[in-house]
């Protein structure tokens, strides 16, 4: 499955870079991801699932649906997860306790 995903996304590399600023080199290495928000980097724990879903869940056959489904998958990748918010709150509480 991984080989299929790499080959498939490499075949779409020019379009991904032109339209979405997602760069994949000829070896299948991910070089860049779309920048949606300044000073925000999505959690890379979700990167493998995002890459897989780009190959399997994006409708590449219809231009309009391609843009829509690519954007949906990218939004899911960038979205704050409940676990992230809980972790950030815990870290902030620990920082506040250490400052006292």
């Amino acid at each position: 499955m991984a080989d299929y995903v790499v080959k498939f996304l490499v075949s779409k590399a020019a379009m991904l870079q032109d339209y979405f600023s997602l760069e994949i080199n000829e070896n299948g290495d991910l070089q860049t991801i779309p920048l949606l928000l300044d000073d925000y980097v999505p959690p890379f724990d979700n990167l493998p699932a995002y890459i897989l879903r780009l190959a399997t869940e994006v409708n590449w056959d219809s231009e309009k649906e391609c843009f829509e489904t690519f954007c949906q998958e990218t939004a899911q990748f960038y979205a704050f997860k409940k676990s992230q918010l809980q972790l950030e709150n815990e870290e902030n509480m620990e920082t506040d306790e250490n400052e006292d």
Side-chain angles (χ1 to χ4, degrees):
M1 180 68 152
D3 287 337
Y4 164 78
V5 169
V6 170
K7 288 177 185 174
F8 183 80
L9 292 177
V10 166
S11 75
K12 304 289 184 188
M15 185 186 79
L16 289 168
Q17 184 172 0
D18 288 345
Y19 290 111
F20 304 112
S21 298
L22 189 145
E23 185 178 352
I24 299 173
N25 70 17
E26 63 276 353
N27 297 323
D29 300 323
L30 182 66
Q31 303 291 305
T32 63
I33 61 173
L35 176 63
L36 300 185
L37 300 168
D38 289 337
D39 300 323
Y40 175 70
V41 177
F44 286 115
D45 296 350
N46 302 326
L47 186 60
Y50 173 60
I51 297 300
L52 176 64
R53 292 182 64 83
L54 289 181
T56 60
E57 302 301 319
V58 171
N59 182 341
W60 296 97
D61 298 326
S62 163
E63 184 176 352
K64 181 180 178 186
E65 289 182 28
C66 176
F67 280 95
E68 288 175 1
T69 54
F70 183 93
C71 290
Q72 288 169 353
E73 294 303 326
T74 302
Q76 273 189 336
F77 174 57
Y78 270 81
F80 281 106
K81 308 293 187 278
K82 186 176 181 179
S83 59
Q84 285 176 265
L85 295 175
Q86 288 172 337
L87 181 61
E88 286 181 21
N89 285 339
E90 290 172 8
E91 289 174 354
N92 287 340
M93 289 176 66
E94 287 177 12
T95 302
D96 290 344
E97 288 174 2
N98 291 338
E99 290 177 357
D100 292 335

